[in-house]
Amino acid sequence: MVRAAAGSIAPLALFAQAPQGLERRAAPPPRPAPAPPAPTAAELVAVPADADRTGTGLAYKVLRSGVATEKPPLDQDIVAIYVIGRGPSGEVFQDSFAQGKPQRMQVKNAFAAWRDAMKSMVPGEIRRWWFPADQLPPNPKSGRKEPAVFDVEMVSIGRMPDPPRSIAAPDPKAKRMPSGAAVLTVASGRGDQTLSRTDGAMVNFTVWDSDGKAISSSIAEGRPTLFPVAKVMSAFADCLEGMKVAEKRHCWIPAERNEGFPGAMTGALVFELQLDFITDFDKLMQAKPAPPAPPRS
């Protein structure tokens, strides 16, 4: 019932030859996610009289308040949510609480009722939502359009950056690189170490096409992406080389220097990059996992 992926923001491998298992930092282990108490039989068949309503009339109750200083997500943002959905008879047809792993979606890619719900919640908040049948796709178990009650916890909001003001062409202040890329530092880094071609770069990134449409982002995964600088296409390596930790850059790669990503599109690309940390990629590749501890007798 919820689109778990971010549509056009699905992560892309930016490697020319992607080493298996190193595209992303290891995900944290799932945490126990106890679901709220189940709705009563009366709540399953009708909206309670004391329910609140959004501006479009969608009914809800706040089961736990969120962080008051946070703002709800915008259409472009990525939300991580726990969801349990129930039909009129109480059958559960969706439950990410039980899985212990939140679902992620870009708000604008959800159907209308979910956009309405997500754009009114803040991190830490749990709400019970009543969705009428005409605002939902068919129930995945019954195949029929039915009303449903969803308990939703807003875990976090990944704030998608706005694209650079100059999107169709490089900013006039950008430095032209040998590969044809144009690079502009928009926030200074710290320390003396700079990223070299032999390093691995853990980077938070978002990439747009030349029309300003977001194509991919580390925000969709909720964690940075590891790039072995020597193994990415040359124009992207030019964007990365010389960065300091915490530095943020905008980078324009013309269509003719887009050497192609596995399963991705062609055309001009615009990146926002922020370096999280620098690692010795060769040592990382050579490192062997520790052997498992022997079983206790």
Side-chain angles (χ1 to χ4, degrees):
M1 305 293 285
V2 179
R3 296 181 185 178
S8 62
I9 309 298
L12 301 176
L14 298 183
F15 303 113
Q17 294 177 338
Q20 293 298 314
L22 290 175
E23 291 90 334
R24 310 231 167 236
R25 178 184 293 175
R31 70 167 177 85
T40 65
E43 288 179 317
L44 288 167
V45 296
V47 177
D50 60 347
D52 293 310
R53 301 270 179 173
T54 65
T56 61
L58 195 61
Y60 70 92
K61 275 189 173 183
V62 176
L63 304 184
R64 186 181 76 193
S65 297
V67 181
T69 54
E70 289 276 3
K71 295 181 180 180
L74 302 176
D75 278 333
Q76 66 189 32
D77 292 333
I78 306 289
V79 296
I81 56 175
Y82 286 110
V83 182
I84 181 168
R86 296 179 173 90
S89 63
E91 78 282 3
V92 174
F93 55 81
Q94 178 181 5
D95 188 359
S96 55
F97 282 97
Q99 297 168 356
K101 183 179 181 180
Q103 300 169 239
R104 295 183 185 275
M105 64 175 170
Q106 189 175 31
V107 175
K108 70 179 182 181
N109 287 338
F111 55 84
W114 273 106
R115 290 197 302 271
D116 190 14
M118 296 301 96
K119 290 171 70 174
S120 65
M121 295 184 69
V122 298
E125 186 175 11
I126 299 178
R127 288 190 184 186
R128 177 161 292 158
W129 292 94
W130 284 266
F131 281 39
D134 62 359
Q135 295 191 40
L136 291 172
N139 183 303
K141 290 189 175 180
S142 69
R144 300 187 300 271
K145 278 184 169 287
E146 299 174 342
V149 178
F150 290 92
D151 289 342
V152 180
E153 177 182 348
M154 178 68 73
V155 180
S156 63
I157 300 171
R159 310 285 181 179
M160 288 284 288
D162 294 323
R165 291 182 181 180
S166 182
I167 191 75
D171 189 293
K173 297 178 182 179
K175 179 182 178 180
R176 296 284 180 167
M177 308 301 288
S179 66
V183 179
L184 178 66
T185 295
V186 294
S188 300
R190 61 177 183 266
D192 297 325
Q193 186 181 11
T194 58
L195 187 66
S196 76
R197 296 268 173 161
T198 59
D199 291 325
M202 192 67 79
V203 176
N204 283 296
F205 78 95
T206 300
V207 56
W208 300 269
D209 64 18
S210 56
D211 293 324
K213 179 183 178 182
I215 301 166
S216 183
S217 178
S218 59
I219 295 170
E221 290 293 305
R223 56 187 183 272
T225 298
L226 176 63
F227 297 104
V229 183
K231 294 185 177 293
V232 299
M233 65 180 179
S234 59
F236 190 63
D238 274 351
C239 297
L240 294 169
E241 189 173 18
M243 291 187 78
K244 293 183 176 182
V245 172
E247 183 178 344
K248 183 184 290 186
R249 290 181 175 182
H250 289 162
C251 181
W252 292 260
I253 296 178
E256 62 271 17
R257 299 315 303 266
N258 179 355
E259 298 169 18
F261 302 153
M265 49 12 113
T266 58
L269 303 173
V270 182
F271 286 88
E272 180 171 285
L273 308 168
Q274 186 163 28
L275 183 60
D276 192 37
F277 67 84
I278 300 170
T279 184
D280 186 321
F281 183 73
D282 288 337
K283 286 185 178 179
L284 189 63
M285 288 290 289
Q286 295 168 6
K288 295 182 179 180
R296 295 182 180 180
S297 55

